[in-house]
Amino acid sequence: MSANPVLRVGLCGIGLDAYWPQFPGLKDRLEGYVTEVARRLSRPGAAVVNLGLIDTPERSREAGHECRREDIDVLFLYMTTYALSNTVLPLVQRAGVPVVVLNLQPQAAIEYQAFNRLQDRTAMTGEWLSFCSACPMPEIANVMARARIPFHQVTGVLDEQRTWEEIEQWLAAARVRSTLAACRLGLMGHYYGGMLDIMTDVTLVSIVFGTHVEMAEVDELSALAASVNDEEIARRVDEIHAAFNVQSDCPHDELRRAARTSVALDAFVAHHSLNALAYYYKGSGNAANEDTMSSIILGTSLLTARHIPVAGEYEVKNALAMKILDILGAGGSFTEFYAMDFYDDLVLMGHDGPGHIAIAEGRTKVRPLSVYHGKVGRGLSVEMSVKHGPVTLLSVAEDAETRFKLLVAEGECVAGEILEIGNTNSRYRFPLGARGFVSAWNAQAPAHHCAVGVGHVAATLKKVAALLGIGFNQVC
């Protein structure tokens, strides 16, 4: 499987060449600020293309072409001082990537008394111009809007923690966008019949998210399972015991069956270079496929923990939601409403099938089931609660206005009794209360599945939606 791509970050300082001969030292000072921003943008997994201080329309056009040659994913424009809008427009037109405008002063305020003690009014003006990042912002915004070029902005102080927290969110959002564009989403089987809410246009998925959709056959997975040898099965059984809390009533033959399918899944995913997978197959009348699909849950849970999220019931949109949360380091486990607890004012949520064992509270249990509710087959399943603490729910929902939207809620996973039925299930509390949350969530008309991740990441998800050009709604 291909690793997450390196995020290619373009950076341009924006200035005005007419200032340099008038105000000695100003250009050097501003270039130093640009270098500092480049240093702070640099990190493992990100390559910063620092194009320096752009101060003329001619240099702007050159920088735009350079952005294209460098194949950048996002462009940060640092407004270092007043600059003409015709120095910005050629650059962003040619770059053709999302633009984040940085309106950052070098300090929180001009030191007025020290400033007014300067004897040289030219020096005073040069000092003021080094604080003048806010001055061109209305002009830049006006031209970008009239050119119908989306842009986003960060306003603050160069060395302020709050400023860099916001910039970090934009970088994380840009990483989501670029990773989705390089993602190969496998679809195996078919939709669960009758679930009209989860059915979607996979062509539109590729158009909006840039994600490649790879159609794969259940027969291939079954053939791979038939070729797995006893040694591979034994090794995977050991790995299952290491990764899960296997309950004593799990038959050894079922463990071997799950291990064989897990080994086959790894080969299947590697062969198709998949970064995510959605599957469902009823399997009636084909013994090999029914055997494969009824022993898939442990293997899909292991894949999900290895950053290859797997969604059951052929839930394409939720595979995307799980992948987005995974890219953000929040996990992303398959879930839906289970029940409401009006005594404790919370919502029970979970799902049968794959669980994200890397974000589980304690070790995930493996339990045998004699029947999968609403599905063909029997076998082993996983039972877990998400880690207690802050969580974020994410649904990739269809929207008539913006094609897709991100629906988000922040809450808390809390300790307490869960349903010991061999499924993932957790107890969630929301600021709106159970009644308020369920009503507000449903009012946004999502599909009945969503993804849950650890931590509160709604602010970053809002930026992801902005960079993708889709809708966003946060209910709490």
Side-chain angles (χ1 to χ4, degrees), residues 237-247 302 355-367 381-387 418 423-425:
V237 167
D238 290 342
E239 291 169 11
I240 287 171
H241 277 286
F244 298 94
N245 182 0
V246 179
Q247 301 299 287
L302 289 171
H356 199 316
I357 62 176
I359 62 168
E361 179 71 25
R363 298 183 73 207
T364 298
K365 295 178 180 178
V366 177
R367 293 189 184 276
S381 189
V382 296
E383 182 180 285
M384 57 161 267
S385 170
V386 168
K387 287 179 181 177
I418 62 172
N423 291 178
T424 69
N425 57 109

Side-chain angles (χ1 to χ4, degrees), residues 134-455:
C135 184
M137 288 297 295
E139 178 177 342
I140 303 307
N142 175 278
V143 172
M144 297 276 273
R146 289 166 67 184
R148 297 187 179 181
I149 298 173
F151 74 99
H152 316 282
Q153 53 185 313
V154 177
T155 299
V157 182
L158 179 58
D159 62 353
E160 186 181 41
Q161 180 179 350
R162 176 180 171 183
T163 296
W164 282 96
E165 288 174 353
E166 189 173 356
I167 292 173
E168 292 290 341
Q169 291 171 358
W170 283 114
L171 283 169
R175 184 178 299 283
V176 169
R177 181 178 182 270
S178 67
T179 303
L180 289 178
C183 180
R184 291 173 59 86
L185 169 62
L187 301 183
M188 181 176 65
H190 55 77
Y191 283 112
Y192 191 113
M195 291 183 181
L196 304 182
D197 59 319
I198 67 174
M199 296 179 182
T200 193
D201 180 347
V202 295
T203 300
L204 198 58
V205 166
S206 293
I207 291 170
V208 172
F209 298 97
T211 300
H212 171 79
V213 177
E214 180 75 6
M215 299 295 184
E217 299 292 342
V218 175
D219 295 347
E220 179 186 351
L221 181 59
S222 296
L224 287 168
S227 68
V228 176
N229 62 46
D230 288 342
E231 183 179 344
E232 292 173 306
I233 292 173
R235 282 200 303 268
R236 186 54 51 95
V237 167
D238 290 342
E239 291 169 11
I240 287 171
H241 277 286
F244 298 94
N245 182 0
V246 179
Q247 301 299 287
S248 59
D249 57 347
C250 292
H252 185 66
D253 286 348
E254 287 293 345
L255 275 176
R256 285 178 54 83
R257 198 162 71 92
R260 183 185 64 219
T261 301
S262 177
V263 172
L265 264 173
D266 286 359
F268 178 86
V269 166
H271 175 71
H272 292 287
S273 299
L274 300 182
N275 310 106
L277 175 66
Y279 76 93
Y280 175 74
Y281 194 73
K282 194 169 184 179
S284 297
N286 185 314
N289 287 345
E290 186 173 330
D291 180 76
T292 299
M293 300 308 286
S294 64
S295 57
I296 201 170
I297 293 175
L298 270 59
T300 52
S301 298
L302 289 171
L303 283 173
T304 299
R306 284 172 29 214
H307 311 293
I308 303 170
V310 183
E313 296 177 2
Y314 210 76
E315 232 296 25
V316 176
K317 296 189 292 289
N318 211 41
L320 291 169
M322 294 166 69
K323 186 66 178 178
I324 290 169
L325 288 177
D326 184 76
I327 297 166
L328 294 178
S333 197
F334 200 31
T335 196
E336 66 185 9
F337 292 155
Y338 264 16
M340 300 175 69
D341 185 330
F342 291 104
Y343 291 119
D344 288 340
D345 195 24
L346 50 79
V347 183
L348 303 181
M349 302 182 74
H351 208 278
D352 66 332
H356 199 316
I357 62 176
I359 62 168
E361 179 71 25
R363 298 183 73 207
T364 298
K365 295 178 180 178
V366 177
R367 293 189 184 276
L369 298 180
S370 59
V371 63
Y372 294 145
H373 64 273
K375 302 179 178 71
V376 173
R378 59 182 176 77
L380 302 181
S381 189
V382 296
E383 182 180 285
M384 57 161 267
S385 170
V386 168
K387 287 179 181 177
H388 301 155
V391 295
T392 301
L393 299 187
L394 171 63
S395 173
V396 174
E398 301 204 50
D399 182 80
E401 299 297 324
T402 58
R403 300 180 294 188
F404 292 99
K405 67 179 177 183
L406 301 186
L407 175 59
V408 174
E410 290 183 338
E412 182 183 9
C413 183
V414 298
E417 295 292 329
I418 62 172
L419 309 178
E420 297 179 1
I421 56 174
N423 291 178
T424 69
N425 57 109
S426 305
R427 300 161 59 89
Y428 296 109
R429 185 167 285 129
F430 298 95
L432 298 176
R435 289 177 174 87
F437 162 70
V438 169
S439 296
W441 185 267
N442 292 340
Q444 294 300 317
H448 71 281
H449 300 123
C450 64
V452 59
V454 294

